[in-house]
PDB file of all heavy atoms in Angstrom:
ATOM      1  N   ASP A  29      98.415  44.140 146.316  1.00  0.00           N
ATOM      2  CA  ASP A  29      98.835  43.716 147.653  1.00  0.00           C
ATOM      3  C   ASP A  29      97.647  43.703 148.612  1.00  0.00           C
ATOM      4  O   ASP A  29      97.529  42.802 149.458  1.00  0.00           O
ATOM      5  CB  ASP A  29      99.931  44.643 148.179  1.00  0.00           C
ATOM      6  CG  ASP A  29     100.549  44.116 149.465  1.00  0.00           C
ATOM      7  OD1 ASP A  29     101.258  43.091 149.399  1.00  0.00           O
ATOM      8  OD2 ASP A  29     100.308  44.715 150.539  1.00  0.00           O
ATOM      9  N   ALA A  30      96.755  44.688 148.490  1.00  0.00           N
ATOM     10  CA  ALA A  30      95.568  44.712 149.347  1.00  0.00           C
ATOM     11  C   ALA A  30      94.680  43.498 149.083  1.00  0.00           C
ATOM     12  O   ALA A  30      94.136  42.889 150.018  1.00  0.00           O
ATOM     13  CB  ALA A  30      94.798  46.005 149.113  1.00  0.00           C
ATOM     14  N   ILE A  31      94.534  43.136 147.815  1.00  0.00           N
ATOM     15  CA  ILE A  31      93.725  41.961 147.461  1.00  0.00           C
ATOM     16  C   ILE A  31      94.376  40.687 147.971  1.00  0.00           C
ATOM     17  O   ILE A  31      93.707  39.814 148.550  1.00  0.00           O
ATOM     18  CB  ILE A  31      93.519  41.911 145.934  1.00  0.00           C
ATOM     19  CG1 ILE A  31      92.602  43.055 145.491  1.00  0.00           C
ATOM     20  CG2 ILE A  31      92.948  40.563 145.505  1.00  0.00           C
ATOM     21  CD1 ILE A  31      92.524  43.231 143.986  1.00  0.00           C
ATOM     22  N   ALA A  32      95.685  40.565 147.758  1.00  0.00           N
ATOM     23  CA  ALA A  32      96.396  39.364 148.210  1.00  0.00           C
ATOM     24  C   ALA A  32      96.302  39.211 149.726  1.00  0.00           C
ATOM     25  O   ALA A  32      96.130  38.097 150.240  1.00  0.00           O
ATOM     26  CB  ALA A  32      97.856  39.423 147.767  1.00  0.00           C
ATOM     27  N   THR A  33      96.413  40.330 150.428  1.00  0.00           N
ATOM     28  CA  THR A  33      96.310  40.279 151.884  1.00  0.00           C
ATOM     29  C   THR A  33      94.951  39.750 152.310  1.00  0.00           C
ATOM     30  O   THR A  33      94.840  38.931 153.233  1.00  0.00           O
ATOM     31  CB  THR A  33      96.549  41.676 152.480  1.00  0.00           C
ATOM     32  OG1 THR A  33      97.858  42.126 152.106  1.00  0.00           O
ATOM     33  CG2 THR A  33      96.437  41.651 153.994  1.00  0.00           C
ATOM     34  N   ARG A  34      93.903  40.214 151.643  1.00  0.00           N
ATOM     35  CA  ARG A  34      92.555  39.737 151.977  1.00  0.00           C
ATOM     36  C   ARG A  34      92.412  38.242 151.661  1.00  0.00           C
ATOM     37  O   ARG A  34      91.848  37.480 152.452  1.00  0.00           O
ATOM     38  CB  ARG A  34      91.516  40.543 151.199  1.00  0.00           C
ATOM     39  CG  ARG A  34      90.056  40.155 151.469  1.00  0.00           C
ATOM     40  CD  ARG A  34      89.613  40.569 152.867  1.00  0.00           C
ATOM     41  NE  ARG A  34      89.623  42.004 153.000  1.00  0.00           N
ATOM     42  CZ  ARG A  34      88.565  42.790 152.825  1.00  0.00           C
ATOM     43  NH1 ARG A  34      87.395  42.245 152.520  1.00  0.00           N
ATOM     44  NH2 ARG A  34      88.648  44.091 152.978  1.00  0.00           N
ATOM     45  N   LEU A  35      92.921  37.802 150.516  1.00  0.00           N
ATOM     46  CA  LEU A  35      92.775  36.400 150.124  1.00  0.00           C
ATOM     47  C   LEU A  35      93.552  35.454 151.025  1.00  0.00           C
ATOM     48  O   LEU A  35      93.151  34.297 151.216  1.00  0.00           O
ATOM     49  CB  LEU A  35      93.220  36.211 148.671  1.00  0.00           C
ATOM     50  CG  LEU A  35      92.261  36.699 147.581  1.00  0.00           C
ATOM     51  CD1 LEU A  35      92.909  36.589 146.209  1.00  0.00           C
ATOM     52  CD2 LEU A  35      90.947  35.923 147.609  1.00  0.00           C
ATOM     53  N   THR A  36      94.666  35.900 151.566  1.00  0.00           N
ATOM     54  CA  THR A  36      95.461  35.005 152.424  1.00  0.00           C
ATOM     55  C   THR A  36      94.716  34.621 153.693  1.00  0.00           C
ATOM     56  O   THR A  36      95.123  33.670 154.383  1.00  0.00           O
ATOM     57  CB  THR A  36      96.808  35.653 152.797  1.00  0.00           C
ATOM     58  OG1 THR A  36      96.575  36.945 153.382  1.00  0.00           O
ATOM     59  CG2 THR A  36      97.704  35.798 151.584  1.00  0.00           C
ATOM     60  N   ASN A  37      93.644  35.308 154.014  1.00  0.00           N
ATOM     61  CA  ASN A  37      92.827  34.931 155.166  1.00  0.00           C
ATOM     62  C   ASN A  37      91.859  33.793 154.849  1.00  0.00           C
ATOM     63  O   ASN A  37      91.173  33.307 155.751  1.00  0.00           O
ATOM     64  CB  ASN A  37      92.031  36.142 155.665  1.00  0.00           C
ATOM     65  CG  ASN A  37      92.930  37.235 156.221  1.00  0.00           C
ATOM     66  OD1 ASN A  37      93.929  36.947 156.869  1.00  0.00           O
ATOM     67  ND2 ASN A  37      92.582  38.487 155.969  1.00  0.00           N
ATOM     68  N   MET A  38      91.805  33.402 153.572  1.00  0.00           N
ATOM     69  CA  MET A  38      90.904  32.321 153.152  1.00  0.00           C
ATOM     70  C   MET A  38      91.726  31.045 152.980  1.00  0.00           C
ATOM     71  O   MET A  38      92.303  30.791 151.915  1.00  0.00           O
ATOM     72  CB  MET A  38      90.181  32.704 151.861  1.00  0.00           C
ATOM     73  CG  MET A  38      89.426  34.022 151.947  1.00  0.00           C
ATOM     74  SD  MET A  38      88.543  34.443 150.413  1.00  0.00           S
ATOM     75  CE  MET A  38      87.235  33.212 150.453  1.00  0.00           C
ATOM     76  N   ASP A  39      91.785  30.248 154.029  1.00  0.00           N
ATOM     77  CA  ASP A  39      92.674  29.082 154.024  1.00  0.00           C
ATOM     78  C   ASP A  39      92.336  28.102 152.912  1.00  0.00           C
ATOM     79  O   ASP A  39      93.237  27.509 152.296  1.00  0.00           O
ATOM     80  CB  ASP A  39      92.605  28.375 155.382  1.00  0.00           C
ATOM     81  CG  ASP A  39      93.184  29.208 156.512  1.00  0.00           C
ATOM     82  OD1 ASP A  39      93.956  30.152 156.214  1.00  0.00           O
ATOM     83  OD2 ASP A  39      92.868  28.919 157.685  1.00  0.00           O
ATOM     84  N   ASP A  40      91.047  27.892 152.640  1.00  0.00           N
ATOM     85  CA  ASP A  40      90.679  26.917 151.614  1.00  0.00           C
ATOM     86  C   ASP A  40      91.089  27.385 150.224  1.00  0.00           C
ATOM     87  O   ASP A  40      91.579  26.599 149.402  1.00  0.00           O
ATOM     88  CB  ASP A  40      89.187  26.607 151.666  1.00  0.00           C
ATOM     89  CG  ASP A  40      88.305  27.847 151.674  1.00  0.00           C
ATOM     90  OD1 ASP A  40      88.849  28.970 151.714  1.00  0.00           O
ATOM     91  OD2 ASP A  40      87.062  27.698 151.646  1.00  0.00           O
ATOM     92  N   VAL A  41      90.915  28.674 149.944  1.00  0.00           N
ATOM     93  CA  VAL A  41      91.317  29.216 148.644  1.00  0.00           C
ATOM     94  C   VAL A  41      92.829  29.130 148.483  1.00  0.00           C
ATOM     95  O   VAL A  41      93.338  28.743 147.420  1.00  0.00           O
ATOM     96  CB  VAL A  41      90.837  30.667 148.494  1.00  0.00           C
ATOM     97  CG1 VAL A  41      91.377  31.284 147.200  1.00  0.00           C
ATOM     98  CG2 VAL A  41      89.315  30.729 148.509  1.00  0.00           C
ATOM     99  N   VAL A  42      93.561  29.469 149.533  1.00  0.00           N
ATOM    100  CA  VAL A  42      95.026  29.428 149.479  1.00  0.00           C
ATOM    101  C   VAL A  42      95.512  28.003 149.262  1.00  0.00           C
ATOM    102  O   VAL A  42      96.383  27.744 148.428  1.00  0.00           O
ATOM    103  CB  VAL A  42      95.633  30.024 150.756  1.00  0.00           C
ATOM    104  CG1 VAL A  42      97.140  29.786 150.798  1.00  0.00           C
ATOM    105  CG2 VAL A  42      95.339  31.516 150.844  1.00  0.00           C
ATOM    106  N   ALA A  43      94.943  27.049 150.003  1.00  0.00           N
ATOM    107  CA  ALA A  43      95.380  25.656 149.880  1.00  0.00           C
ATOM    108  C   ALA A  43      95.106  25.117 148.480  1.00  0.00           C
ATOM    109  O   ALA A  43      95.965  24.465 147.865  1.00  0.00           O
ATOM    110  CB  ALA A  43      94.676  24.794 150.926  1.00  0.00           C
ATOM    111  N   HIS A  44      93.905  25.384 147.956  1.00  0.00           N
ATOM    112  CA  HIS A  44      93.556  24.907 146.609  1.00  0.00           C
ATOM    113  C   HIS A  44      94.467  25.534 145.563  1.00  0.00           C
ATOM    114  O   HIS A  44      94.977  24.859 144.664  1.00  0.00           O
ATOM    115  CB  HIS A  44      92.097  25.238 146.300  1.00  0.00           C
ATOM    116  CG  HIS A  44      91.674  24.843 144.928  1.00  0.00           C
ATOM    117  ND1 HIS A  44      91.862  25.646 143.818  1.00  0.00           N
ATOM    118  CD2 HIS A  44      91.079  23.718 144.462  1.00  0.00           C
ATOM    119  CE1 HIS A  44      91.407  25.034 142.750  1.00  0.00           C
ATOM    120  NE2 HIS A  44      90.923  23.869 143.111  1.00  0.00           N
ATOM    121  N   THR A  45      94.689  26.833 145.677  1.00  0.00           N
ATOM    122  CA  THR A  45      95.501  27.541 144.689  1.00  0.00           C
ATOM    123  C   THR A  45      96.954  27.111 144.744  1.00  0.00           C
ATOM    124  O   THR A  45      97.599  26.916 143.711  1.00  0.00           O
ATOM    125  CB  THR A  45      95.376  29.056 144.908  1.00  0.00           C
ATOM    126  OG1 THR A  45      93.998  29.434 144.755  1.00  0.00           O
ATOM    127  CG2 THR A  45      96.227  29.833 143.921  1.00  0.00           C
ATOM    128  N   THR A  46      97.480  26.942 145.941  1.00  0.00           N
ATOM    129  CA  THR A  46      98.876  26.519 146.084  1.00  0.00           C
ATOM    130  C   THR A  46      99.108  25.157 145.452  1.00  0.00           C
ATOM    131  O   THR A  46     100.086  24.941 144.730  1.00  0.00           O
ATOM    132  CB  THR A  46      99.264  26.478 147.575  1.00  0.00           C
ATOM    133  OG1 THR A  46      99.091  27.779 148.145  1.00  0.00           O
ATOM    134  CG2 THR A  46     100.707  26.050 147.746  1.00  0.00           C
ATOM    135  N   ARG A  47      98.189  24.226 145.701  1.00  0.00           N
ATOM    136  CA  ARG A  47      98.329  22.886 145.123  1.00  0.00           C
ATOM    137  C   ARG A  47      98.209  22.931 143.608  1.00  0.00           C
ATOM    138  O   ARG A  47      98.976  22.272 142.890  1.00  0.00           O
ATOM    139  CB  ARG A  47      97.276  21.954 145.708  1.00  0.00           C
ATOM    140  CG  ARG A  47      97.398  20.513 145.212  1.00  0.00           C
ATOM    141  CD  ARG A  47      96.356  19.612 145.816  1.00  0.00           C
ATOM    142  NE  ARG A  47      95.001  19.987 145.405  1.00  0.00           N
ATOM    143  CZ  ARG A  47      93.911  19.250 145.660  1.00  0.00           C
ATOM    144  NH1 ARG A  47      94.019  18.141 146.362  1.00  0.00           N
ATOM    145  NH2 ARG A  47      92.731  19.645 145.250  1.00  0.00           N
ATOM    146  N   ALA A  48      97.255  23.704 143.097  1.00  0.00           N
ATOM    147  CA  ALA A  48      97.066  23.791 141.648  1.00  0.00           C
ATOM    148  C   ALA A  48      98.283  24.406 140.971  1.00  0.00           C
ATOM    149  O   ALA A  48      98.714  23.938 139.911  1.00  0.00           O
ATOM    150  CB  ALA A  48      95.816  24.604 141.336  1.00  0.00           C
ATOM    151  N   CYS A  49      98.831  25.455 141.559  1.00  0.00           N
ATOM    152  CA  CYS A  49     100.028  26.083 140.982  1.00  0.00           C
ATOM    153  C   CYS A  49     101.192  25.101 140.961  1.00  0.00           C
ATOM    154  O   CYS A  49     101.934  25.015 139.971  1.00  0.00           O
ATOM    155  CB  CYS A  49     100.413  27.325 141.779  1.00  0.00           C
ATOM    156  SG  CYS A  49      99.343  28.754 141.527  1.00  0.00           S
ATOM    157  N   ARG A  50     101.355  24.355 142.038  1.00  0.00           N
ATOM    158  CA  ARG A  50     102.467  23.407 142.125  1.00  0.00           C
ATOM    159  C   ARG A  50     102.327  22.302 141.083  1.00  0.00           C
ATOM    160  O   ARG A  50     103.293  21.958 140.381  1.00  0.00           O
ATOM    161  CB  ARG A  50     102.519  22.817 143.535  1.00  0.00           C
ATOM    162  CG  ARG A  50     103.681  21.857 143.768  1.00  0.00           C
ATOM    163  CD  ARG A  50     103.775  21.440 145.225  1.00  0.00           C
ATOM    164  NE  ARG A  50     102.611  20.680 145.676  1.00  0.00           N
ATOM    165  CZ  ARG A  50     101.710  21.124 146.542  1.00  0.00           C
ATOM    166  NH1 ARG A  50     101.814  22.336 147.053  1.00  0.00           N
ATOM    167  NH2 ARG A  50     100.692  20.351 146.901  1.00  0.00           N
ATOM    168  N   THR A  51     101.119  21.765 140.967  1.00  0.00           N
ATOM    169  CA  THR A  51     100.903  20.681 140.003  1.00  0.00           C
ATOM    170  C   THR A  51     101.019  21.177 138.575  1.00  0.00           C
ATOM    171  O   THR A  51     101.642  20.537 137.725  1.00  0.00           O
ATOM    172  CB  THR A  51      99.521  20.055 140.231  1.00  0.00           C
ATOM    173  OG1 THR A  51      99.433  19.567 141.572  1.00  0.00           O
ATOM    174  CG2 THR A  51      99.280  18.922 139.259  1.00  0.00           C
ATOM    175  N   GLY A  52     100.414  22.328 138.292  1.00  0.00           N
ATOM    176  CA  GLY A  52     100.483  22.867 136.942  1.00  0.00           C
ATOM    177  C   GLY A  52     101.907  23.182 136.523  1.00  0.00           C
ATOM    178  O   GLY A  52     102.299  22.930 135.378  1.00  0.00           O
ATOM    179  N   ALA A  53     102.700  23.746 137.454  1.00  0.00           N
ATOM    180  CA  ALA A  53     104.080  24.107 137.136  1.00  0.00           C
ATOM    181  C   ALA A  53     104.909  22.878 136.781  1.00  0.00           C
ATOM    182  O   ALA A  53     105.845  22.958 135.975  1.00  0.00           O
ATOM    183  CB  ALA A  53     104.711  24.848 138.311  1.00  0.00           C
ATOM    184  N   ALA A  54     104.572  21.720 137.353  1.00  0.00           N
ATOM    185  CA  ALA A  54     105.329  20.497 137.058  1.00  0.00           C
ATOM    186  C   ALA A  54     105.103  20.023 135.634  1.00  0.00           C
ATOM    187  O   ALA A  54     105.910  19.250 135.102  1.00  0.00           O
ATOM    188  CB  ALA A  54     104.928  19.393 138.038  1.00  0.00           C
ATOM    189  N   HIS A  55     104.011  20.483 134.993  1.00  0.00           N
ATOM    190  CA  HIS A  55     103.669  20.007 133.649  1.00  0.00           C
ATOM    191  C   HIS A  55     103.672  21.119 132.611  1.00  0.00           C
ATOM    192  O   HIS A  55     103.075  20.972 131.540  1.00  0.00           O
ATOM    193  CB  HIS A  55     102.289  19.350 133.673  1.00  0.00           C
ATOM    194  CG  HIS A  55     102.253  18.041 134.406  1.00  0.00           C
ATOM    195  ND1 HIS A  55     102.627  16.860 133.812  1.00  0.00           N
ATOM    196  CD2 HIS A  55     101.908  17.741 135.685  1.00  0.00           C
ATOM    197  CE1 HIS A  55     102.500  15.876 134.680  1.00  0.00           C
ATOM    198  NE2 HIS A  55     102.076  16.383 135.838  1.00  0.00           N
ATOM    199  N   SER A  56     104.307  22.238 132.902  1.00  0.00           N
ATOM    200  CA  SER A  56     104.328  23.341 131.946  1.00  0.00           C
ATOM    201  C   SER A  56     105.625  24.106 132.093  1.00  0.00           C
ATOM    202  O   SER A  56     106.455  23.827 132.974  1.00  0.00           O
ATOM    203  CB  SER A  56     103.135  24.278 132.188  1.00  0.00           C
ATOM    204  OG  SER A  56     103.194  24.843 133.481  1.00  0.00           O
ATOM    205  N   GLY A  57     105.797  25.081 131.230  1.00  0.00           N
ATOM    206  CA  GLY A  57     106.968  25.939 131.294  1.00  0.00           C
ATOM    207  C   GLY A  57     106.806  26.982 132.386  1.00  0.00           C
ATOM    208  O   GLY A  57     105.978  26.841 133.290  1.00  0.00           O
ATOM    209  N   PRO A  58     107.598  28.062 132.303  1.00  0.00           N
ATOM    210  CA  PRO A  58     107.477  29.132 133.300  1.00  0.00           C
ATOM    211  C   PRO A  58     106.051  29.658 133.346  1.00  0.00           C
ATOM    212  O   PRO A  58     105.396  29.809 132.320  1.00  0.00           O
ATOM    213  CB  PRO A  58     108.446  30.200 132.781  1.00  0.00           C
ATOM    214  CG  PRO A  58     109.421  29.448 131.921  1.00  0.00           C
ATOM    215  CD  PRO A  58     108.633  28.339 131.297  1.00  0.00           C
ATOM    216  N   PRO A  59     105.524  29.919 134.543  1.00  0.00           N
ATOM    217  CA  PRO A  59     104.129  30.369 134.648  1.00  0.00           C
ATOM    218  C   PRO A  59     103.927  31.737 134.012  1.00  0.00           C
ATOM    219  O   PRO A  59     104.841  32.544 133.917  1.00  0.00           O
ATOM    220  CB  PRO A  59     103.884  30.420 136.165  1.00  0.00           C
ATOM    221  CG  PRO A  59     105.245  30.575 136.763  1.00  0.00           C
ATOM    222  CD  PRO A  59     106.178  29.829 135.854  1.00  0.00           C
ATOM    223  N   HIS A  60     102.683  31.996 133.588  1.00  0.00           N
ATOM    224  CA  HIS A  60     102.360  33.269 132.960  1.00  0.00           C
ATOM    225  C   HIS A  60     101.959  34.307 133.992  1.00  0.00           C
ATOM    226  O   HIS A  60     101.589  35.421 133.624  1.00  0.00           O
ATOM    227  CB  HIS A  60     101.223  33.088 131.939  1.00  0.00           C
ATOM    228  CG  HIS A  60      99.916  32.653 132.517  1.00  0.00           C
ATOM    229  ND1 HIS A  60      99.739  31.447 133.139  1.00  0.00           N
ATOM    230  CD2 HIS A  60      98.705  33.273 132.578  1.00  0.00           C
ATOM    231  CE1 HIS A  60      98.487  31.334 133.548  1.00  0.00           C
ATOM    232  NE2 HIS A  60      97.842  32.423 133.233  1.00  0.00           N
ATOM    233  N   TYR A  61     102.061  33.959 135.269  1.00  0.00           N
ATOM    234  CA  TYR A  61     101.665  34.853 136.343  1.00  0.00           C
ATOM    235  C   TYR A  61     102.842  35.084 137.299  1.00  0.00           C
ATOM    236  O   TYR A  61     103.852  34.387 137.242  1.00  0.00           O
ATOM    237  CB  TYR A  61     100.491  34.251 137.124  1.00  0.00           C
ATOM    238  CG  TYR A  61     100.735  32.823 137.581  1.00  0.00           C
ATOM    239  CD1 TYR A  61     101.509  32.534 138.711  1.00  0.00           C
ATOM    240  CD2 TYR A  61     100.208  31.741 136.865  1.00  0.00           C
ATOM    241  CE1 TYR A  61     101.755  31.233 139.123  1.00  0.00           C
ATOM    242  CE2 TYR A  61     100.451  30.433 137.270  1.00  0.00           C
ATOM    243  CZ  TYR A  61     101.220  30.188 138.398  1.00  0.00           C
ATOM    244  OH  TYR A  61     101.459  28.906 138.789  1.00  0.00           O
ATOM    245  N   GLU A  62     102.700  36.070 138.175  1.00  0.00           N
ATOM    246  CA  GLU A  62     103.637  36.282 139.265  1.00  0.00           C
ATOM    247  C   GLU A  62     102.929  35.992 140.577  1.00  0.00           C
ATOM    248  O   GLU A  62     101.699  36.024 140.655  1.00  0.00           O
ATOM    249  CB  GLU A  62     104.167  37.715 139.274  1.00  0.00           C
ATOM    250  CG  GLU A  62     103.099  38.786 139.488  1.00  0.00           C
ATOM    251  CD  GLU A  62     103.687  40.183 139.589  1.00  0.00           C
ATOM    252  OE1 GLU A  62     104.364  40.451 140.611  1.00  0.00           O
ATOM    253  OE2 GLU A  62     103.463  40.975 138.651  1.00  0.00           O
ATOM    254  N   LEU A  63     103.700  35.686 141.612  1.00  0.00           N
ATOM    255  CA  LEU A  63     103.125  35.403 142.920  1.00  0.00           C
ATOM    256  C   LEU A  63     103.245  36.632 143.810  1.00  0.00           C
ATOM    257  O   LEU A  63     104.324  37.210 143.951  1.00  0.00           O
ATOM    258  CB  LEU A  63     103.827  34.210 143.569  1.00  0.00           C
ATOM    259  CG  LEU A  63     103.657  32.854 142.858  1.00  0.00           C
ATOM    260  CD1 LEU A  63     104.449  31.785 143.584  1.00  0.00           C
ATOM    261  CD2 LEU A  63     102.184  32.466 142.773  1.00  0.00           C
ATOM    262  N   ILE A  64     102.140  37.036 144.396  1.00  0.00           N
ATOM    263  CA  ILE A  64     102.108  38.111 145.382  1.00  0.00           C
ATOM    264  C   ILE A  64     101.528  37.516 146.653  1.00  0.00           C
ATOM    265  O   ILE A  64     100.392  37.028 146.649  1.00  0.00           O
ATOM    266  CB  ILE A  64     101.264  39.303 144.893  1.00  0.00           C
ATOM    267  CG1 ILE A  64     101.873  39.895 143.611  1.00  0.00           C
ATOM    268  CG2 ILE A  64     101.155  40.370 145.979  1.00  0.00           C
ATOM    269  CD1 ILE A  64     101.068  41.037 143.018  1.00  0.00           C
ATOM    270  N   ARG A  65     102.334  37.513 147.690  1.00  0.00           N
ATOM    271  CA  ARG A  65     101.962  36.846 148.946  1.00  0.00           C
ATOM    272  C   ARG A  65     101.573  35.392 148.696  1.00  0.00           C
ATOM    273  O   ARG A  65     100.650  34.841 149.319  1.00  0.00           O
ATOM    274  CB  ARG A  65     100.856  37.608 149.671  1.00  0.00           C
ATOM    275  CG  ARG A  65     101.266  39.016 150.113  1.00  0.00           C
ATOM    276  CD  ARG A  65     100.193  39.693 150.942  1.00  0.00           C
ATOM    277  NE  ARG A  65     100.600  41.054 151.306  1.00  0.00           N
ATOM    278  CZ  ARG A  65     101.277  41.376 152.415  1.00  0.00           C
ATOM    279  NH1 ARG A  65     101.619  40.427 153.272  1.00  0.00           N
ATOM    280  NH2 ARG A  65     101.604  42.639 152.664  1.00  0.00           N
ATOM    281  N   GLY A  66     102.263  34.775 147.738  1.00  0.00           N
ATOM    282  CA  GLY A  66     102.060  33.367 147.437  1.00  0.00           C
ATOM    283  C   GLY A  66     100.899  33.060 146.525  1.00  0.00           C
ATOM    284  O   GLY A  66     100.634  31.881 146.241  1.00  0.00           O
TER     285      GLY A  66
END
């Protein structure tokens, strides 16, 4: 949670990761990861 909180302050990292997760999920099964603070 401490790491996720720090990363959420990085708008470019969050935007890139959010888009990649969304696109990847459309072409695969359930993700192998969990989301913490998105």
Side-chain angles (χ1 to χ4, degrees):
D29 189 70
I31 291 170
T33 300
R34 181 70 65 95
L35 284 174
T36 54
N37 294 322
M38 305 181 71
D39 293 341
D40 50 356
V41 174
V42 171
H44 177 274
T45 300
T46 301
R47 183 179 65 171
C49 286
R50 183 173 64 249
T51 302
H55 290 277
S56 61
H60 64 296
Y61 51 80
E62 62 176 291
L63 295 178
I64 298 177
R65 297 185 182 270

